[in-house]
């Protein structure tokens, strides 16, 4: 390096070094204060009180299983509770905390958790939708706002981000994560952790994040919830682990173990997973909690009775037992019988107390109970306005033949479908704090947007399913679609009468909110029967039809893609979804979402994802015998990963590389020009993929390595630059060492994973 440059570089990093040293001194000071505080508490605690800290019962506000605990107040008094979840409202939290502070012997504050997953009372789009914004700053802001609202209401611990990579659309919980890609999933994981935790976990408006479900839950066999996961360590390290690790690297305060087994041992008792990898390899020092009855369920898994599985969970590294009360009721005996050690109990108790210290609870137990803040900061107009703008960023325009969209605010619009006015379903799965009745349905959004300009006529058109039993399964927790007693023909005829009066039809169809989320797997991932019949009838009118699709998973839309002129995927957009959909339908907002999961042609292609291996016999475009494919469909998806249209039209130039060879200590710059050829300003997600042409192990045909969401004015051209370094070319090899291998790399840049420009360089 030239000497002047060297000096400049040295000089310019000096202030950063000073800050880093100051930061690390401060951290050490904080740690030693924390250790002193925790030591002094622990020196006074009985073994039973230490075990009590490991107990996390549900207060029952929202149950996902059978709560084993009862009479919680009494247990708090007896020092048998370390934290509570499923309790809502600052005053309620304060009351529980008061019992701990005034009636228990040790007066250790409780930690209060909740499933704050995509917002609190102001709900944002479901995580899968949010990920389609590809805007990590925006996502970070949603987490920040969720934390501000939740912390004003007494909550200091949120069970998010859920970062389970998912490539099987049958799995209902695909809705809760960020899709199929490890790189994008990792960037979103860290953004969410930063958003929830901010820079200071002890601040009254931040909460401790909990990354879940560690690990590999998204790969449950057959897409069936709680099922077995079995995969190679190579795939874990290269594909499924990165988002969890990214959350750990971003400083996540806690981790939740998953329900599934790995290598024959449930995650909750898996020492390799929880201790060897998470703590020893990745350096996680925070608190590890089981999932809901994750400990006691290991009896059903068949690895022992409650005492055995509780001892195994503690031994594997679990600190807090959610709901099972296996720790509470068996660890004392296990200690007496020599099945666990006192050191293991101390370690777990220490981590729970450390979490409380980090949240500032040991200094001020009521820090997060601020009724005045709750009154002022939750579900405010400005929060709702933000949610509306976020929702519009999450929608993905899948088809727009002959520029049917945006619609004009004129004439008569027929709004038809069971999801058009289903207020309980607007916010989607896992919106436990939502104010359902105040959510904006599409009907309300359209009516507001068109007042005095266009007429909106509405008909339900169909139920969710023909079969009432299926509809009942799909609408739990009061998230009803108010099943109509009329039969399918009657409902459809009414809809057709309405449709005939209209200039354009907006069909609001798809899944109900609870057709995805926990325990909501499906073996048919299409739009349900009666709704498709309705859609066909609407298309038969010959009027233009816009399908507004509500869904929490990639769906099979082959027929719809072939027959419906315009399709807008709106997921479940949060409390303000109806307004946001209207914003996009009428072009106030230009859609810019891109899919983060592959949409297959049919269920038989599942699991499907873009970052496949080539195999020794890759299929070409058409079927060929003895190639890797199917007799009946090609390997193509209907919509590929990264895909999404805009009202603008983007064109990509050729890729420019600043060099054609690089070394492992070097980096390479990838540049491309993107032009907006359309008449409207728009946003585009520019995506960079790599393919390692020859490796010691087989490498995916494409892997996302960078992306940038840019705003481009109509007619404008922007040059987008990306820097790739050796780390981006690296992967876990057979011996699980991480590194790159010399050789040729293909680099692809484009607006989705299929339509890309290509260039090549070599790593020397
Ligand atoms: C889910 C978790 C959730 C927990 C607490 C479980 O059933 O798997 O994601 O955080 O319940 O509600």
């Amino acid at each position: 390096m030239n000497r002047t440059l060297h000096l400049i570089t040295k000089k310019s990093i000096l202030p950063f070094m000073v800050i880093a040293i100051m930061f690390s001194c401060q951290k050490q000071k904080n740690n030693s204060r924390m250790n002193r505080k925790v030591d002094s508490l622990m020196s006074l605690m009985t073994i039973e009180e230490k075990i009590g800290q490991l107990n996390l019962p549900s207060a029952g506000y929202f149950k996902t299983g059978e709560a084993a605990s009862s009479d919680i107040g009494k247990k708090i008094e007896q020092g048998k509770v370390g934290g509570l979840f499923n309790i809502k409202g600052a005053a309620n939290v304060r009351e529980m905390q008061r019992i701990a502070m005034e009636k228990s012997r040790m007066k250790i504050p409780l930690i209060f958790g909740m499933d704050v997953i995509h917002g609190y009372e102001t709900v944002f789009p479901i995580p899968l939708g949010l990920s389609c914004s590809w805007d990590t700053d925006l996502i970070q802001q949603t987490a920040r706002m969720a934390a501000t609202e939740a912390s004003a209401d007494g909550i200091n611990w949120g069970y998010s981000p859920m970062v389970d990579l998912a490539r099987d659309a049958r799995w209902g919980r695909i809705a809760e994560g960020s899709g199929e890609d490890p790189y994008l999933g990792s960037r979103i994981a860290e953004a969410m952790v930063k958003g929830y935790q901010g820079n200071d976990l002890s601040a009254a408006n931040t909460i401790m994040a909990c990354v879940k479900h560690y690990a590999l839950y998204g790969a449950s066999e057959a897409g069936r919830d709680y099922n077995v996961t079995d995969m190679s360590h190579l795939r874990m390290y290269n594909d499924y682990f990165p988002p969890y690790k990214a959350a750990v690297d971003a400083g996540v305060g806690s981790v939740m173990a998953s329900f599934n087994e790995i290598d024959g041992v449930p995650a909750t008792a898996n020492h390799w997973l929880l201790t060897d990898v998470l703590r020893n390899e990745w350096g996680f020092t925070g608190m590890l909690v089981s999932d809901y009855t994750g400990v006691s369920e290991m009896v059903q898994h068949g690895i022992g009775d409650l005492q055995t599985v509780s001892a195994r969970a503690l031994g594997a590294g679990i600190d807090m037992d959610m709901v099972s009360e296996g720790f509470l009721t068996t660890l004392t005996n296990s200690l007496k019988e020599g099945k666990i050690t006192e050191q293991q109990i101390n370690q777990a108790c220490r981590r729970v107390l450390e979490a409380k210290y980090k949240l500032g609870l040991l200094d001020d137990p009521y820090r997060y109970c601020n009724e005045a803040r709750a009154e002022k900061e939750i579900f405010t107009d400005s929060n709702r306005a933000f949610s509306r703008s976020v929702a519009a960023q999450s929608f993905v325009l899948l088809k727009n033949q002959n520029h049917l969209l945006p619609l004009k605010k004129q004439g008569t619009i027929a709004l038809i479908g069971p999801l058009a006015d289903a207020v309980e379903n607007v916010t989607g799965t896992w919106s436990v704090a939502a104010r359902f009745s105040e959510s904006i349905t599409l009907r309300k959004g359209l009516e507001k947007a068109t007042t005095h300009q266009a007429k909106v006529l509405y008909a339900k058109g169909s139920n969710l399913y023909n079969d009432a039993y299926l509809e009942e399964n799909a609408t739990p927790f009061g998230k009803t679609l108010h099943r109509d007693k009329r039969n399918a023909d009657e409902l459809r005829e009414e809809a057709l009468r309405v449709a005939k009066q209209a200039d354009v039809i907006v069909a609001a169809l798809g899944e109900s909110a609870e057709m995805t989320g926990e325990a909501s797997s499906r073996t048919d991932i299409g739009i349900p029967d009666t709704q498709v019949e309705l859609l066909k009838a609407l298309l038969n009118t010959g009027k233009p039809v816009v399908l507004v699709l509500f869904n929490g998973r990639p769906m099979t839309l082959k027929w719809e893609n072939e027959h419906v002129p315009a399709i807008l995927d709106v997921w479940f957009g949060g409390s303000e979804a109806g307004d946001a959909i209207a914003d996009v339908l009428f072009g106030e907002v230009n859609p810019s979402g891109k899919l983060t999961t592959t949409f297959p042609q049919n269920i038989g292609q599942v699991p499907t994802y873009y970052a496949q291996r080539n195999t020794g016999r890759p299929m070409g475009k058409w079927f060929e015998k003895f190639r890797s494919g199917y007799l009946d469909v090609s390997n193509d998806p209907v919509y590929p990963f990264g895909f999404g249209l805009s009202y603008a039209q983007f064109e990509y130039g050729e890729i420019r590389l600043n060099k054609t060879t690089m070394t492992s200590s070097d980096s390479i710059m990838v540049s491309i020009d993107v032009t907006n050829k359309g008449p409207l300003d728009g946003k585009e997600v520019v995506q960079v993929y790599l393919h390692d042409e020859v490796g010691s192990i087989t490498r995916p045909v494409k892997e996302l390595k960078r992306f940038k969401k840019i705003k481009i004015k109509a007619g404008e051209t922007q040059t987008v630059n990306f820097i790739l370094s050796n780390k981006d070319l690296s992967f876990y090899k057979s011996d699980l060492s991480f590194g790159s291998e010399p050789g040729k790399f293909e680099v692809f840049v484009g607006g989705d994973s299929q339509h890309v420009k290509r260039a090549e360089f070599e790593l020397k």
Side-chain angles (χ1 to χ4, degrees), residues 62 64 85-86 115 117 159 173 176 212-213 217 226 256 259 291-292 322 430 518:
F62 182 80
T64 55
F85 73 109
N86 286 343
D115 287 286
I117 309 288
Y159 302 143
R173 304 200 77 170
E176 297 175 47
K212 68 188 191 185
H213 305 83
Y217 187 22
Y226 317 120
M256 187 187 292
F259 286 127
D291 201 347
Y292 200 108
M322 188 193 282
W430 278 124
E518 188 169 347

CSV table of all heavy atoms in Angstrom, one decimal, residues 62 64 85-86 115 117 159 173 176 212-213 217 226 256 259 291-292 322 430 518, ligand 1:
chain,number,residue,atom,x,y,z
A,62,PHE,N,-53.3,-16.0,26.1
A,62,PHE,CA,-53.4,-16.7,24.8
A,62,PHE,C,-52.7,-18.0,24.9
A,62,PHE,O,-51.5,-18.1,25.1
A,62,PHE,CB,-52.8,-15.8,23.8
A,62,PHE,CG,-52.9,-16.3,22.4
A,62,PHE,CD1,-54.0,-16.1,21.7
A,62,PHE,CD2,-51.8,-17.0,21.8
A,62,PHE,CE1,-54.1,-16.6,20.4
A,62,PHE,CE2,-51.9,-17.5,20.5
A,62,PHE,CZ,-53.1,-17.3,19.8
A,64,THR,N,-51.4,-21.8,23.5
A,64,THR,CA,-51.2,-22.5,22.3
A,64,THR,C,-51.2,-24.0,22.7
A,64,THR,O,-50.9,-24.9,21.8
A,64,THR,CB,-49.9,-22.2,21.7
A,64,THR,OG1,-48.8,-22.3,22.6
A,64,THR,CG2,-49.9,-20.8,21.1
A,85,PHE,N,-45.6,-15.2,30.6
A,85,PHE,CA,-45.9,-14.7,29.3
A,85,PHE,C,-47.4,-14.9,29.0
A,85,PHE,O,-48.1,-15.5,29.8
A,85,PHE,CB,-45.1,-15.3,28.2
A,85,PHE,CG,-45.4,-16.7,27.9
A,85,PHE,CD1,-46.0,-17.1,26.7
A,85,PHE,CD2,-45.1,-17.8,28.8
A,85,PHE,CE1,-46.4,-18.4,26.4
A,85,PHE,CE2,-45.4,-19.1,28.5
A,85,PHE,CZ,-46.1,-19.4,27.3
A,86,ASN,N,-47.9,-14.3,28.0
A,86,ASN,CA,-49.3,-14.2,27.7
A,86,ASN,C,-50.1,-13.4,28.7
A,86,ASN,O,-51.1,-13.9,29.2
A,86,ASN,CB,-49.9,-15.7,27.6
A,86,ASN,CG,-49.5,-16.4,26.3
A,86,ASN,OD1,-49.1,-15.7,25.4
A,86,ASN,ND2,-49.7,-17.7,26.3
A,115,ASP,N,-45.6,-13.1,22.5
A,115,ASP,CA,-45.4,-13.3,21.0
A,115,ASP,C,-45.6,-12.0,20.3
A,115,ASP,O,-46.7,-11.9,19.6
A,115,ASP,CB,-46.2,-14.4,20.5
A,115,ASP,CG,-45.7,-15.8,21.0
A,115,ASP,OD1,-44.7,-16.2,20.5
A,115,ASP,OD2,-46.3,-16.4,21.9
A,117,ILE,N,-44.8,-10.6,17.3
A,117,ILE,CA,-44.2,-11.2,16.2
A,117,ILE,C,-44.1,-10.3,15.0
A,117,ILE,O,-43.0,-10.2,14.3
A,117,ILE,CB,-45.0,-12.5,15.7
A,117,ILE,CG1,-45.2,-13.4,16.9
A,117,ILE,CG2,-44.3,-13.2,14.6
A,117,ILE,CD1,-44.0,-14.2,17.4
A,159,TYR,N,-41.0,-12.9,21.6
A,159,TYR,CA,-40.5,-14.2,21.0
A,159,TYR,C,-40.4,-14.1,19.5
A,159,TYR,O,-41.2,-14.7,18.7
A,159,TYR,CB,-41.5,-15.3,21.4
A,159,TYR,CG,-41.6,-15.5,22.9
A,159,TYR,CD1,-42.8,-15.8,23.5
A,159,TYR,CD2,-40.5,-15.3,23.7
A,159,TYR,CE1,-42.9,-15.9,24.9
A,159,TYR,CE2,-40.6,-15.4,25.1
A,159,TYR,CZ,-41.8,-15.7,25.7
A,159,TYR,OH,-41.8,-15.9,27.0
A,173,ARG,N,-46.1,-22.7,9.2
A,173,ARG,CA,-45.3,-21.7,9.9
A,173,ARG,C,-44.3,-21.0,8.9
A,173,ARG,O,-43.6,-20.1,9.3
A,173,ARG,CB,-44.6,-22.3,11.1
A,173,ARG,CG,-45.5,-23.0,12.0
A,173,ARG,CD,-45.0,-23.2,13.4
A,173,ARG,NE,-45.0,-21.9,14.2
A,173,ARG,CZ,-44.7,-21.9,15.5
A,173,ARG,NH1,-44.4,-22.9,16.1
A,173,ARG,NH2,-44.7,-20.7,16.1
A,176,GLU,N,-44.4,-17.3,9.2
A,176,GLU,CA,-43.8,-16.6,10.3
A,176,GLU,C,-42.3,-16.2,10.1
A,176,GLU,O,-41.7,-15.5,10.9
A,176,GLU,CB,-43.8,-17.5,11.6
A,176,GLU,CG,-45.2,-17.8,12.1
A,176,GLU,CD,-45.2,-18.7,13.2
A,176,GLU,OE1,-44.5,-18.5,14.2
A,176,GLU,OE2,-46.0,-19.7,13.2
A,212,LYS,N,-35.9,-17.7,17.2
A,212,LYS,CA,-36.5,-19.1,17.2
A,212,LYS,C,-36.7,-19.6,15.8
A,212,LYS,O,-36.6,-18.8,14.9
A,212,LYS,CB,-37.8,-19.0,18.0
A,212,LYS,CG,-38.9,-18.2,17.3
A,212,LYS,CD,-40.1,-18.0,18.2
A,212,LYS,CE,-41.3,-17.5,17.4
A,212,LYS,NZ,-42.5,-17.2,18.2
A,213,HIS,N,-37.0,-20.8,15.7
A,213,HIS,CA,-37.0,-21.9,16.7
A,213,HIS,C,-35.8,-22.7,16.4
A,213,HIS,O,-35.7,-23.3,15.3
A,213,HIS,CB,-38.3,-22.8,16.5
A,213,HIS,CG,-39.6,-22.0,16.6
A,213,HIS,ND1,-40.1,-21.4,15.5
A,213,HIS,CD2,-40.4,-21.7,17.6
A,213,HIS,CE1,-41.2,-20.8,15.8
A,213,HIS,NE2,-41.5,-21.0,17.1
A,217,TYR,N,-36.4,-26.1,12.3
A,217,TYR,CA,-37.9,-26.4,12.5
A,217,TYR,C,-38.6,-26.3,11.1
A,217,TYR,O,-39.5,-27.0,10.8
A,217,TYR,CB,-38.4,-25.4,13.5
A,217,TYR,CG,-39.9,-25.6,13.9
A,217,TYR,CD1,-40.5,-26.8,13.8
A,217,TYR,CD2,-40.6,-24.5,14.5
A,217,TYR,CE1,-41.8,-27.0,14.3
A,217,TYR,CE2,-41.9,-24.7,14.9
A,217,TYR,CZ,-42.5,-25.9,14.8
A,217,TYR,OH,-43.8,-26.0,15.2
A,226,TYR,N,-44.4,-29.8,13.9
A,226,TYR,CA,-43.8,-30.6,15.1
A,226,TYR,C,-43.1,-31.9,14.6
A,226,TYR,O,-42.8,-32.7,15.5
A,226,TYR,CB,-44.9,-30.9,16.1
A,226,TYR,CG,-45.8,-29.8,16.5
A,226,TYR,CD1,-47.2,-29.9,16.3
A,226,TYR,CD2,-45.4,-28.6,17.0
A,226,TYR,CE1,-48.1,-28.9,16.6
A,226,TYR,CE2,-46.2,-27.6,17.3
A,226,TYR,CZ,-47.6,-27.7,17.1
A,226,TYR,OH,-48.5,-26.7,17.4
A,256,MET,N,-34.8,-19.5,21.5
A,256,MET,CA,-35.8,-20.5,21.8
A,256,MET,C,-35.5,-21.8,21.1
A,256,MET,O,-35.3,-21.8,19.9
A,256,MET,CB,-37.2,-20.0,21.5
A,256,MET,CG,-38.4,-20.9,21.9
A,256,MET,SD,-40.0,-20.4,21.3
A,256,MET,CE,-40.2,-18.9,22.2
A,259,PHE,N,-39.3,-27.5,18.4
A,259,PHE,CA,-40.0,-28.7,18.8
A,259,PHE,C,-39.5,-29.9,18.1
A,259,PHE,O,-39.7,-31.0,18.6
A,259,PHE,CB,-41.5,-28.5,18.3
A,259,PHE,CG,-42.3,-27.6,19.2
A,259,PHE,CD1,-43.1,-26.6,18.6
A,259,PHE,CD2,-42.4,-27.8,20.5
A,259,PHE,CE1,-43.9,-25.7,19.3
A,259,PHE,CE2,-43.3,-26.9,21.3
A,259,PHE,CZ,-44.0,-25.9,20.7
A,291,ASP,N,-39.4,-24.2,24.0
A,291,ASP,CA,-40.7,-23.7,23.4
A,291,ASP,C,-41.8,-24.2,24.3
A,291,ASP,O,-41.6,-25.0,25.3
A,291,ASP,CB,-40.9,-24.2,22.0
A,291,ASP,CG,-41.9,-23.4,21.2
A,291,ASP,OD1,-42.7,-22.6,21.9
A,291,ASP,OD2,-42.0,-23.5,20.0
A,292,TYR,N,-43.0,-23.9,24.0
A,292,TYR,CA,-44.2,-24.2,24.8
A,292,TYR,C,-44.3,-25.7,25.1
A,292,TYR,O,-44.6,-26.4,24.1
A,292,TYR,CB,-45.4,-23.7,24.1
A,292,TYR,CG,-46.7,-23.4,24.8
A,292,TYR,CD1,-47.1,-22.1,25.1
A,292,TYR,CD2,-47.5,-24.4,25.3
A,292,TYR,CE1,-48.3,-21.9,25.8
A,292,TYR,CE2,-48.6,-24.2,26.0
A,292,TYR,CZ,-49.0,-22.9,26.2
A,292,TYR,OH,-50.2,-22.7,26.9
A,322,MET,N,-40.5,-23.4,29.4
A,322,MET,CA,-41.8,-22.8,29.2
A,322,MET,C,-42.9,-23.7,29.3
A,322,MET,O,-43.0,-24.7,28.6
A,322,MET,CB,-41.8,-22.2,27.7
A,322,MET,CG,-43.0,-21.4,27.4
A,322,MET,SD,-43.1,-21.0,25.6
A,322,MET,CE,-41.9,-19.8,25.3
A,430,TRP,N,-50.6,-15.0,14.4
A,430,TRP,CA,-49.7,-14.4,15.5
A,430,TRP,C,-49.9,-12.9,15.6
A,430,TRP,O,-48.9,-12.2,15.5
A,430,TRP,CB,-48.3,-14.8,15.3
A,430,TRP,CG,-47.8,-16.1,15.7
A,430,TRP,CD1,-47.3,-17.1,15.0
A,430,TRP,CD2,-48.0,-16.7,17.1
A,430,TRP,NE1,-47.0,-18.2,15.7
A,430,TRP,CE2,-47.4,-18.0,17.0
A,430,TRP,CE3,-48.5,-16.2,18.3
A,430,TRP,CZ2,-47.4,-18.8,18.1
A,430,TRP,CZ3,-48.4,-17.1,19.4
A,430,TRP,CH2,-47.9,-18.3,19.3
A,518,GLU,N,-49.0,-21.7,13.3
A,518,GLU,CA,-48.7,-22.9,13.9
A,518,GLU,C,-49.8,-23.9,13.7
A,518,GLU,O,-51.0,-23.6,13.8
A,518,GLU,CB,-48.5,-22.6,15.4
A,518,GLU,CG,-48.0,-23.9,16.2
A,518,GLU,CD,-47.6,-23.6,17.6
A,518,GLU,OE1,-47.4,-22.4,17.9
A,518,GLU,OE2,-47.4,-24.6,18.4
B,1,LIG,C1,-44.7,-21.5,19.5
B,1,LIG,C2,-43.7,-20.4,19.7
B,1,LIG,C3,-44.3,-19.4,20.6
B,1,LIG,C4,-44.7,-20.1,21.9
B,1,LIG,C5,-45.2,-19.1,23.0
B,1,LIG,C6,-45.3,-22.1,20.8
B,1,LIG,O1,-46.4,-22.9,20.5
B,1,LIG,O2,-44.1,-22.6,18.8
B,1,LIG,O3,-43.4,-19.8,18.5
B,1,LIG,O4,-43.3,-18.4,20.9
B,1,LIG,O5,-45.7,-21.0,21.6
B,1,LIG,O6,-46.5,-18.7,22.7
